[in-house]
């Protein structure tokens, strides 16, 4: 076959009329549909192409630029491309799910990689750990590049053991995003106060999520939560406080968050706290926060009354852009949400979400909610009205 090829690369024997094959010519693939990647095995070079146009070989990009890509992905996937990227990026974004038998080994590994860490996620389980098991994780001052950290701590007394580790987070010089889950720990009130008090000492902290659900904290913990207003750079705060039997004093203390100078987004989950009637009114004072634009108040499974709903409508005089109210299973009764019609006077409100399932509402409530469309800036309205008795008129 190759002996019949002309110098021009054309097969003259097959191109003559007498020798042309009678079968159909094979289909030619569209060049634009070629693979978007080309690999040279010799030097492990990967090229990106689009529509037949050659792109820049990814491994010829500067390491600084590749580091930014890894930072955006917050993943170790780039480390698998070649040995050079493995050496450069493998310590930057770590995620561990640690069970009790392997705790010390993993803790030592994290300690060794602290100078290189950018993001860290740790899911830790154990009921018989001691403080010395986590002692290496108190040297956060060495984590000079750590900016995002997530800790899911599961275990009956793990919150107590992790206290020194969490206190030491204030030493991390660049930490700006922290998510801490201590759900269902039966955490002692004093330890919760200590942990939350330490968090506000992190000077660079901008985004904070704390999950303290079902810790039976009871009253007087809200004062410490309210003290988070002293965090100078805090932009986003999410507090999950479901099932802690909080009371009126805690609502007043949480209202102190209005003093946070830069707070942009505030989410408070206060469900299943058996809040009695007329105890949530202090939360309306949150509208006084100078920069607050997104407020979420989640109050399901409590004992609120129509007067509480009317007081929450006082948020209409704020500059909020987004408001979420979760009032499910408060059994407000017919006419129980008529007070919310005052929200149609909110001057800047663009997004409103009302969750009102299981409240025994009636047709009059549906008519009241219809008046919300008069809000001057409203762009998005979400209503959850399942398991109410609105009737055909509703």
């Amino acid at each position: 076959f190759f002996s019949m090829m002309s110098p021009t690369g054309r097969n003259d024997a097959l191109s003559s009329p007498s020798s042309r094959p009678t079968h159909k010519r094979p289909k030619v693939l569209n060049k634009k549909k070629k693979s978007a990647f080309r690999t040279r095995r010799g030097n492990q070079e990967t090229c990106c192409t689009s529509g037949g146009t050659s792109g820049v070989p990814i491994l010829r990009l500067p390491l600084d630029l590749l580091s930014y890509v890894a930072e955006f992905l917050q993943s170790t996937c780039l480390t698998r491309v070649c040995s050079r990227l493995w050496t450069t990026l493998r310590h930057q974004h770590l995620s561990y799910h640690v069970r009790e038998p392997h705790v010390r080994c993993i803790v030592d590994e994290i300690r060794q990689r602290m100078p290189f860490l950018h993001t860290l996620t740790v899911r830790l389980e154990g009921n018989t750990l001691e403080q010395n098991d986590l002692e290496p994780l108190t040297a956060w001052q060495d984590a000079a590049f750590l900016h995002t950290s997530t800790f899911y701590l599961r275990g009956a007394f793990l919150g107590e053991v992790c206290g020194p580790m969490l206190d030491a987070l204030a030493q991390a010089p660049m930490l700006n995003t922290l998510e801490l889950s201590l759900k269902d720990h039966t955490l002692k009130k004093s330890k919760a106060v200590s942990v939350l008090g330490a968090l506000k000492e992190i000077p660079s902290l901008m985004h904070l999520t704390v999950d303290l659900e079902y810790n039976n904290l009871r009253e007087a913990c809200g004062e410490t939560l309210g003290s988070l207003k002293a965090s100078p750079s805090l932009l986003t705060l999410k507090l999950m406080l479901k099932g802690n039997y909080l009371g009126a004093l805690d609502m007043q203390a949480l209202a102190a968050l209005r003093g946070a100078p830069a707070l942009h987004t505030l989410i408070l989950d206060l469900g299943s706290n058996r809040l009695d009637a007329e105890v949530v009114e202090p939360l309306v004072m949150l509208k006084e926060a100078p920069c607050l634009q997104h407020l979420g108040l989640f109050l399901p499974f409590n004992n609120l009354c129509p007067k509480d709903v009317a007081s929450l409508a006082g948020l209409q005089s704020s500059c909020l852009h987004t408001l979420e109210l979760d009032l499910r299973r408060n059994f407000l009764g017919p006419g129980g949400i008529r007070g919310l019609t005052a929200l149609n006077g909110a001057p800047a409100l663009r997004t409103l979400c009302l969750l009102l399932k299981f409240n025994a509402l009636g047709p009059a409530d549906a008519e009241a909610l219809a008046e919300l469309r008069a809000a001057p800036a409203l762009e998005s309205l979400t209503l959850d009205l399942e398991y109410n008795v609105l009737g055909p008129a509703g």
Side-chain angles (χ1 to χ4, degrees), residues 299-313:
L299 298 160
F301 296 90
N302 283 297
N303 300 316
L304 306 186
C305 67
K307 187 174 180 180
D308 294 307
V309 176
S311 66
L312 291 174

Side-chain angles (χ1 to χ4, degrees), residues 78-98:
L78 274 183
T79 63
R80 302 183 181 93
V81 174
C82 68
S83 59
R84 184 168 69 110
L85 291 183
W86 171 258
T87 303
T88 305
L89 304 176
R90 65 185 176 126
H91 298 302
Q92 293 185 5
H93 307 284
L94 300 181
S95 179
Y96 295 98
H97 188 169
V98 190

Side-chain angles (χ1 to χ4, degrees), residues 64 86 101 103 159 164 167 180 190 201 220 232 286-287 331 340 354 370:
D64 289 345
W86 171 258
V103 167
D167 292 344
L180 174 62
S190 59
E201 302 298 330
L286 291 169
K287 66 184 181 182
F331 302 101
L340 290 178
L354 299 176

